[in-house]
Amino acid sequence: MMMTEATSSIPPCESDRIGGRTPVIIITGFLGSGKTSLLNRALRAPEMARTVVVINEFGEVSLDHALAATSDDAVVVLENGCLCCTVRSDLVGTLNDLYHAREAGDIPRFDNVVIETSGLADPGPVLQAFLSEPTLDGLYRVASVIALVDAVNGLETFTQHDEAVRQVALADRVLITKLDLVDPPQAAAKEAELRQVLERINPAAAIGRIDDPSLSIVALLKCAGFDPADPRADPRPWLNVEAYDAAIHAQEACHDHGHGGDHDHHLINRGIESFCFIRDEPITRAALQFLLDGIAQNLGSGLLRVKGLVNVAEEPGKPAVIQGAQHLLHTMTWLEQWPDADHRTRVVFITQGVVQAALKDMIEMLDRIAARTAKARRHAEARISASVSDTSRSSDRT
């Protein structure tokens, strides 16, 4: 899997810090999207030393063996120091083995990991593993998800395969490939149409072209990304709330001007919806837990990804970071302070099979119920406390 660096359309990596947990880049994309070419191109760069590339055993990547310096049954060490290995059983076990082999000195040191998923894979379970498996969570963290999209067959693939749409929906960055194979007179229109669909599927993803001369694949592969466990990290590029506001305004403008194509785009999007929930007032821990539990129970497998900043009443001045994949939420982490003067709760939901208006109504209803439940609980606790106090005073008088 690969990461990509700053271009005119892809913003630069926000941080190159390597913290306690090893950053992981996940590269996804449907069959024929160009992951093989991208990986082999990156593996030749000397800057890829101290990087591990983990290849799914059902993937398309065939390593250029001329690059190999030493090899055993598990790990190939390339001439530039980069390591490659294949997932032979399960991803959790493979990454755990790599960590312990590094610490024991059995393999060269590595600072980051790139994972290539198979073309037919939904990246959701991979994300979920890093958020829910204690073994992985303590050693690694996902820095970014990059999806490759084939300009020649991408739109047709979206209409036929849910996996291809979900790959884009869960991505932080999207790279359009194979534009050089499109007939030149049609290339600009093809790219514009593809970008429009990509923006509808995932408004917050940075979209770029693989053939952009300013694109540095290695820089993106080495990018540390946003670390929710770093109390000083800036979450704004990771959350990118502004992108959802812009997407809503664009859709409203499209409807107001009577532009067609919505039905076709809905078929291509295959029911993917994005919604940013914003709450002005702080929320109590109890109400937040009720809200998140209610969302998970009501959306189930339809909830692809959730990430956000939450103003928790019991922790004024310290925003909570929440994230999850496929209705499993990671333990909350805390930032030392808000990144700016905006202290509103902002949570982004990416779903499939849930109409955006219905999703918005459901979340707002759950929020109201959660607030009332928390208020009733506080009143009950206050009454119990008062009753205990009265009983204690009565006992003292006797």
Side-chain angles (χ1 to χ4, degrees), residues 5-29:
E5 179 218 5
T7 73
S8 57
S9 56
I10 294 186
C13 170
E14 71 192 58
S15 169
D16 289 321
R17 294 188 306 270
I18 300 296
R21 297 183 299 165
T22 302
V24 176
I25 302 296
I26 299 174
I27 291 191
T28 188

Side-chain angles (χ1 to χ4, degrees), residues 123-198:
V126 179
L127 271 174
Q128 189 182 68
F130 284 97
L131 295 174
S132 62
E133 287 284 346
T135 301
L136 289 188
D137 182 41
L139 307 178
Y140 301 93
R141 62 178 177 82
V142 175
S144 185
V145 179
I146 298 177
L148 273 62
V149 176
D150 171 8
V152 177
N153 300 309
L155 294 177
E156 182 180 355
T157 301
F158 289 157
T159 63
Q160 297 175 359
H161 299 279
D162 266 355
E163 296 86 355
V165 180
R166 289 161 78 99
Q167 288 166 355
V168 171
L170 293 171
D172 300 297
R173 302 171 188 267
V174 178
L175 290 178
I176 301 173
T177 65
K178 302 190 177 181
L179 274 167
D180 58 317
L181 301 182
V182 179
D183 290 340
Q186 303 174 8
K190 187 85 168 182
E191 180 182 359
E193 182 182 11
L194 183 54
R195 282 179 178 268
Q196 183 181 15
V197 171
L198 294 173

Side-chain angles (χ1 to χ4, degrees), residues 237-319:
W238 171 72
L239 198 56
N240 197 9
V241 170
E242 296 77 13
Y244 297 93
D245 294 337
I248 291 173
H249 293 150
Q251 291 178 30
E252 290 174 347
C254 182
H255 292 154
D256 291 343
H257 290 86
H259 295 318
D262 284 349
H263 178 67
D264 292 338
H265 282 160
H266 182 71
L267 292 177
I268 292 174
N269 296 354
R270 299 185 74 86
I272 298 290
E273 298 278 5
S274 300
F275 167 65
C276 184
F277 167 69
I278 297 177
R279 195 179 199 274
D280 294 326
E281 299 298 323
I283 186 171
T284 66
R285 284 179 182 267
L288 175 61
Q289 191 60 56
F290 180 93
L291 174 62
L292 296 177
D293 288 346
I295 290 169
Q297 291 169 10
N298 283 273
L299 293 181
S301 60
L303 180 59
L304 302 184
R305 194 173 186 186
V306 56
K307 56 183 180 179
L309 285 182
V310 182
N311 190 341
V312 178
E314 292 88 345
E315 296 287 345
K318 293 178 60 178

